[in-house]
Amino acid sequence: MTAFIWLLLLLLFAGLTLALRKLGVLPIVSQLCAALLLPLLVPYLPDAALPYYQDLTAAAWLKLLYACSFTLLLGCILADIADTKLSMDSIKIALPSFVVPFVCGVLCAWLFFAELTPLAVLALGLLFSITAIPVLFLYLQGIGYPSAERQRLVQAAIVIDVLCWAIFALAQSSTELWQLLVPLLAGLLPLLLYQAKLRQSWLYSTVFFVMLLLLQWLAMNALLFGVLYALLVARLGLHLAIPLHAKLWYRLQWYLCVPVILIFGVLQIRLAEVQWQGAAGTLLVLVIVPIVSKIAGNWLGVYWVRGERPLKSLWQDSVLLNIRGLTEIIFLNILLQYGLIEALLYFGLLLMSVVSTLLPALLGLRQQRLTWS
């Protein structure tokens, strides 16, 4: 029965994605919205269906499927953030785009979520700062953003995400020395392979994804390993690539990996256990403050390197750099997996991701070619 329900959910996600894609909706937007609806529908399930719902994340094969999906997506994100040559303008944009929302996130955690651990407080600040690189790139490409500006914004997002992943990976491993040393030593494998005069990119890519999966399955810090490994490979002048054909990966990504990660995350939410008294105010904070602080930081960054560009174009850049999505969901799932956040926080930040990703379209940034006139 569990397998049947999962198959049904994946088919529903695929059908919704295909239908809305014909209307110009990005797959991540439709799938985020579908994931947001799942926990809201639980109270309307018949009593006989509730035991099946509660068992939907318990099977060992599901955990393996989640680990494989998580490994592929996280590996691709880490490969993307490392494999680039950054411009100084991108770094200048990224610094306030990271610092301003990060500070606001930490302050929000202290003011409104006093029960959070120090690691969770740090993570909340990082969630306020993060930008979804794949979604941003697809959106900029879809609306025909000028290539120079597109490259600058994507590179700024890369810097932001490198900071977020690296800081959290180091903080997560700070409590136990062996949790820090094992992933760090594994992350040095590119140096060993390079010294052995092995230069084949496919070898580095295969080792990368296999080690990510192994560390994830062993509940060790796969993130720390991934950040270090990807940065070293890029430093050695090599390239990490997913060991799958591009078309096959596209189908796996949007019709299996992303839905599995989203469904697996939201199925662990028990909204019936949430204390809803005062929850409306909490949800408003989790939606409004991250978006406002992120756009403010983005504005300072793009204004710093504005040159001769008009204020309208700076506003567009600020809104676009606020796009969240897949990267944020992976981060949320890590926090939920380690028990650092509870259901209401997960749901509120998932809602914030949906609003942030929809915001450029809602504000009219959807034309095929934007100009600076």
Side-chain angles (χ1 to χ4, degrees):
M1 180 60 73
T2 298
F4 174 76
I5 295 174
W6 266 91
L7 179 61
L8 182 61
L9 288 172
L10 291 174
L11 289 174
L12 287 173
F13 268 66
L16 182 65
T17 301
L18 289 170
L20 292 181
R21 191 174 63 178
K22 294 181 179 179
L23 301 176
V25 179
L26 291 173
I28 188 60
V29 174
S30 57
Q31 294 188 4
L32 278 170
C33 293
L36 192 65
L37 290 175
L38 275 180
L40 297 177
L41 295 176
V42 175
Y44 301 99
L45 292 176
D47 292 340
L50 289 177
Y52 296 109
Y53 178 85
Q54 294 169 355
D55 292 338
L56 285 178
T57 58
W61 65 269
L62 273 173
K63 294 179 180 178
L64 178 59
L65 178 62
Y66 172 81
C68 292
S69 301
F70 179 89
T71 296
L72 288 172
L73 288 171
L74 178 60
C76 289
I77 289 173
L78 293 177
D80 285 342
I81 65 176
D83 189 24
T84 187
K85 294 181 179 179
L86 297 173
S87 68
M88 184 54 66
D89 280 356
S90 297
I91 295 173
K92 289 180 178 179
I93 293 172
L95 289 178
S97 297
F98 171 81
V99 172
V100 172
F102 175 76
V103 171
C104 289
V106 170
L107 289 175
C108 269
W110 281 337
L111 290 173
F112 300 106
F113 307 104
E115 73 281 1
L116 292 180
T117 65
L119 181 57
V121 170
L122 174 72
L124 194 64
L126 298 176
L127 279 166
F128 276 42
S129 297
I130 209 164
T131 298
I133 300 168
V135 183
L136 174 64
F137 176 80
L138 290 172
Y139 198 97
L140 293 173
Q141 188 179 57
I143 64 176
Y145 224 60
S147 58
E149 300 306 322
R150 182 170 67 215
Q151 181 180 19
R152 185 157 60 174
L153 291 183
V154 171
Q155 287 188 351
I158 288 169
V159 175
I160 294 166
D161 280 17
V162 167
L163 288 172
C164 289
W165 289 113
I167 290 172
F168 182 71
L170 290 171
Q172 188 186 10
S173 299
S174 62
T175 54
E176 296 187 31
L177 185 60
W178 69 273
Q179 286 190 345
L180 179 64
L181 289 179
V182 173
L184 278 177
L185 290 174
L188 297 176
L189 279 172
L191 298 179
L192 182 63
L193 295 173
Y194 199 83
Q195 287 299 318
K197 301 189 183 303
L198 297 171
R199 304 289 191 270
Q200 298 89 346
S201 291
W202 67 265
L203 176 62
Y204 288 81
S205 300
T206 302
V207 171
F208 177 62
F209 284 98
V210 170
M211 288 300 299
L212 268 181
L213 178 59
L214 179 62
L215 292 172
Q216 170 69 15
W217 184 253
L218 295 174
M220 299 186 69
N221 199 322
L223 177 59
L224 180 58
F225 158 79
V227 170
L228 179 59
Y229 190 104
L231 291 174
L232 281 177
V233 169
R235 181 67 177 172
L236 293 172
L238 299 170
H239 175 68
L240 288 175
I242 189 167
L244 293 170
H245 190 274
K247 289 185 178 179
L248 174 60
W249 168 235
Y250 179 85
R251 293 188 178 93
L252 282 175
Q253 179 180 9
W254 292 116
Y255 301 112
L256 181 65
C257 295
V258 175
V260 164
I261 287 177
L262 289 173
I263 295 170
F264 198 91
V266 298
L267 286 180
Q268 296 178 73
I269 298 177
R270 301 289 184 262
L271 291 184
E273 301 172 5
V274 173
Q275 299 295 325
W276 287 105
Q277 185 175 3
T282 300
L283 291 176
L284 281 176
V285 168
L286 291 174
V287 172
I288 294 174
V289 178
I291 292 175
V292 172
S293 62
K294 178 68 172 170
I295 291 178
N298 296 341
W299 171 268
L300 291 175
V302 295
Y303 188 80
W304 191 1
V305 298
R306 67 191 183 281
E308 300 297 325
R309 297 171 61 211
L311 294 182
K312 180 182 177 181
S313 68
L314 304 186
W315 163 250
Q316 292 169 345
D317 286 357
S318 302
V319 173
L320 289 165
L321 268 177
N322 179 56
I323 286 177
R324 317 293 176 127
L326 185 57
T327 313
E328 184 113 9
I329 299 307
I330 290 179
F331 216 121
L332 279 174
N333 279 16
I334 292 174
L335 301 185
L336 192 64
Q337 177 184 351
Y338 286 98
L340 294 173
I341 59 174
E342 39 116 45
L344 183 60
L345 263 173
Y346 186 101
F347 183 77
L349 292 169
L350 179 65
L351 179 61
M352 183 270 291
S353 292
V354 174
V355 175
S356 297
T357 307
L358 289 173
L359 193 60
L362 295 175
L363 293 177
L365 304 185
R366 63 183 80 180
Q367 59 266 41
Q368 290 301 308
R369 175 64 63 180
L370 297 176
T371 61
W372 309 135
S373 58

